[in-house]
Amino acid sequence: MTNAESWGGPARLSGWDAVMWRAEADPRTRSGGVLLEILDSEPEWDRFYAGHERAVAAIPRLRERIVEPLLPLTEPAWSIDPHFTLELHVHRTRLHDPGTERQLMECVESIFHRPLDRARPPWEATLISGLEGGRAAYLLKFHHSMSDGLGLVQLLGHAHSPTSRPSPIRHTVAPVARRSYTPVSLLTERAREVVEQAPRRGLHLARSGLDLTSSLVTSPVDTLTRPIRYAASARRVLSPRRVPRSPLLDDAGLGARFLRLDVPLDDLRAGGRAAGCSLNDAFVAAMLGGLRRYHEANDVMVEEIPIGMPISLRQENDPGGGNRFTGALFNAPLAEEDPVRRMHLVREQVTTARTEPAIGILAEISPVISKLPSALISEISATATTSSDMQVSNIRGIGQPCYIAGSEILGMYPLGPRPGVAVMAAMITYNGTCCVALNVNPHVFADVEQLQRCLRDGFEEVVALGRQPKPAESAT
């Protein structure tokens, strides 16, 4: 597990982080997300609140806000909020009787649409009580500039407990000293860095020139063709072949409708293995099978739809939190009825994307994009995200039960932003369950119950592959 004190990474935002932060003004490119957790019971409020006091003391990033430089010539930076007050970040609310699933989702949707205060640390937590069956819910809202999905799982590892017993820590953890920035000091520091690094950059260029000369002598063919291969890969990554959006899903309307479903992890994994494919292949193929059924029910059918998928670039020694991923766009086989064939087509495209030499080019050029005017950043981001019908994300989660203030977490559901797509589908594995959460366009899916039935059938189709008996070995 990563160290709690270092979760979130360096003070300076990466190019990716800065792009997401600076594109927030446009509703099409907002990057706020929520994590919904269902609890078996309502935790005691004082214990719940005290747990957050310990968490913000142990994880300094939770007490930091984002400071922009005086001029957008460098990335913003995380800086301790001198006026941090936990009461502004931890809330509670109660559902009206009877506390149904739909009431819960409407409450989550309302909180989701409420903008975070950009002058404060960009997160908040809400305890939702009154859920039918004596249950409760925990909602963690955060800006994507804080972390990607895998980093969020690391945060939960620090913030949640592996036991229902009260924490033995009764005192407040002493906060770790962190640096504070102002818009002026951030810009000044960057200017000083440019001056100080100039000689080192010159030396680096000289060494690079010597290395290139040496490579041309020892491996001339590889040295000359490597940049050509990279350029060709970059063209494929930045300008992939795109099929038109489905006429059923092509609607730029805003709004959000949330729904969730659970699939046993072993069952979905077995369905993938039966086809010689991975859990991710099974997940994406099941989602496509559900959308195919929805298209058929509405008398619309297309062969392929464009879908987006994040691909993690996170390395084992990377600090926790932050964003370390790139995006890939696929033409997904919607009309393919055979789930095995569908999984193999998905697997082939994902494998091809992962092996592209320029797979990380978006992260490489993001520092340049982040320094453009915010309106232009939003337009570039919107153009990239609104070209697909669905985005899918599979997050490796936590394999054992976790607790919040003594209440057991029954499931956790990552509800991400919906940047111009009809469906944002994210799956996180938790304690033997694939928790699938969807943010869908209410203008496209007027009948959410029908969509949910179609998706359940799509997952059942893949799961059923793992239940089929294996052929008996022929006698010799």
Side-chain angles (χ1 to χ4, degrees):
M1 180 182 293
T2 58
N3 184 276
E5 182 181 331
S6 64
W7 187 88
R12 193 79 57 82
L13 271 68
S14 70
W16 257 138
D17 301 341
V19 166
M20 289 186 284
W21 180 252
R22 288 174 170 168
E24 188 70 11
D26 192 320
R28 299 172 299 169
T29 53
R30 286 179 180 161
S31 300
V34 297
L35 177 76
L36 171 66
E37 297 181 334
I38 306 300
L39 311 181
D40 69 339
S41 59
E42 180 181 349
E44 179 186 350
W45 172 252
D46 289 345
R47 184 176 171 185
F48 175 86
Y49 193 88
H52 285 79
E53 287 180 320
R54 288 192 295 271
V56 299
I59 307 171
R61 179 53 45 87
L62 298 180
R63 306 191 310 277
E64 293 180 328
R65 59 179 180 171
I66 294 178
V67 174
E68 286 277 7
L70 187 62
L71 297 173
L73 303 178
T74 185
E75 287 75 18
W78 292 97
S79 178
I80 284 291
D81 180 1
H83 307 294
F84 178 79
T85 304
L86 189 60
E87 292 177 356
L88 297 175
H89 295 268
V90 180
H91 318 286
R92 58 175 165 176
T93 188
R94 186 174 186 85
L95 301 176
H96 296 296
D97 290 337
T100 63
E101 172 79 8
R102 187 61 241 158
Q103 286 177 278
L104 171 64
M105 287 305 182
E106 288 173 354
C107 177
V108 174
E109 289 161 10
S110 175
I111 295 173
F112 175 84
H113 287 299
R114 186 172 64 213
L116 290 163
D117 188 339
R118 289 171 65 86
R120 298 191 179 106
W123 68 273
E124 61 181 39
T126 304
L127 175 62
I128 305 172
S129 58
L131 189 59
E132 57 188 352
R135 298 170 301 156
Y138 175 71
L139 191 67
L140 177 64
K141 182 177 180 179
F142 61 97
H143 195 274
H144 211 322
S145 58
M146 291 187 72
S147 178
D148 55 24
L150 288 176
L152 179 62
V153 170
Q154 296 167 341
L155 173 65
L156 298 179
H158 296 300
H160 290 346
S161 172
T163 175
S164 62
R165 295 188 298 273
S167 170
I169 302 175
R170 298 296 181 183
H171 60 279
T172 302
V173 180
V176 178
R178 304 278 277 202
R179 184 169 180 180
S180 294
Y181 287 97
T182 66
V184 173
S185 69
L186 186 57
L187 183 62
T188 302
E189 179 179 280
R190 180 55 180 161
R192 184 175 64 252
E193 288 175 355
V194 170
V195 173
E196 293 175 347
Q197 293 173 2
R200 289 196 293 270
R201 287 180 178 173
L203 182 59
H204 174 73
L205 289 174
R207 288 175 176 172
S208 298
L210 292 174
D211 291 341
L212 176 61
T213 302
S214 176
S215 298
L216 284 170
V217 173
T218 58
S219 305
V221 175
D222 184 61
T223 302
L224 292 173
T225 58
R226 190 185 308 122
I228 298 174
R229 292 196 301 269
Y230 186 89
S233 175
R235 284 195 297 272
R236 291 192 296 269
V237 171
L238 296 174
S239 301
R241 180 183 69 86
R242 296 176 177 176
V243 297
R245 296 188 63 174
S246 164
L248 185 61
L249 306 180
D250 190 2
D251 186 303
L254 301 176
R257 285 292 301 274
F258 293 159
L259 57 150
R260 63 187 179 96
L261 57 92
D262 293 336
V263 182
L265 172 58
D266 289 343
D267 290 357
L268 189 58
R269 182 175 283 149
R273 286 175 176 169
C277 294
S278 68
L279 177 67
N280 185 67
D281 302 328
F283 164 54
V284 178
M287 286 296 306
L288 291 170
L291 284 182
R292 177 177 62 81
R293 287 168 168 80
Y294 190 83
H295 276 70
E296 290 173 345
N298 288 273
D299 298 319
V300 176
M301 183 48 63
V302 293
E303 289 295 319
E304 298 176 301
I305 60 171
I307 69 171
M309 180 186 300
I311 295 178
S312 178
L313 302 177
R314 192 174 292 274
Q315 302 295 321
E316 186 176 349
N317 59 346
D318 285 337
N323 290 278
R324 290 167 180 81
F325 71 94
T326 189
L329 187 68
F330 308 101
N331 297 319
L334 184 73
E336 177 57 63
E337 296 186 9
D338 181 1
V340 174
R341 173 65 177 160
R342 200 185 314 133
M343 272 190 276
H344 280 282
L345 290 172
V346 169
R347 183 178 185 82
E348 179 181 339
Q349 294 201 51
V350 174
T351 300
T352 299
R354 288 184 182 278
T355 55
E356 283 284 7
I359 182 62
I361 191 170
L362 290 175
E364 293 170 6
I365 64 176
S366 60
V368 177
I369 298 175
S370 72
K371 297 177 181 63
L372 297 174
S374 295
L376 185 53
I377 294 175
S378 296
E379 196 58 40
I380 293 173
S381 300
T383 300
T385 57
T386 57
S387 60
S388 57
D389 285 329
M390 175 172 68
Q391 289 197 11
V392 289
S393 179
N394 173 23
I395 305 167
R396 184 177 61 192
I398 301 173
Q400 65 281 341
C402 296
Y403 298 82
I404 297 177
S407 297
E408 182 178 356
I409 298 170
L410 303 179
M412 51 180 63
Y413 305 88
L415 293 154
R418 190 180 57 77
V421 298
V423 181
M424 166 61 80
M427 181 180 78
I428 188 168
T429 54
Y430 169 69
N431 192 30
T433 300
C434 295
C435 301
V436 182
L438 298 106
N439 178 354
V440 303
N441 187 341
H443 301 279
V444 169
F445 301 103
D447 189 347
V448 175
E449 288 72 22
Q450 181 190 50
L451 173 63
Q452 195 155 15
R453 289 193 299 271
C454 291
L455 290 173
R456 289 192 182 280
D457 290 343
F459 276 91
E460 175 57 31
E461 175 184 58
V462 173
V463 166
L465 297 172
R467 301 195 192 107
Q468 296 177 1
K470 296 180 180 180
E473 295 183 6
S474 54
T476 56

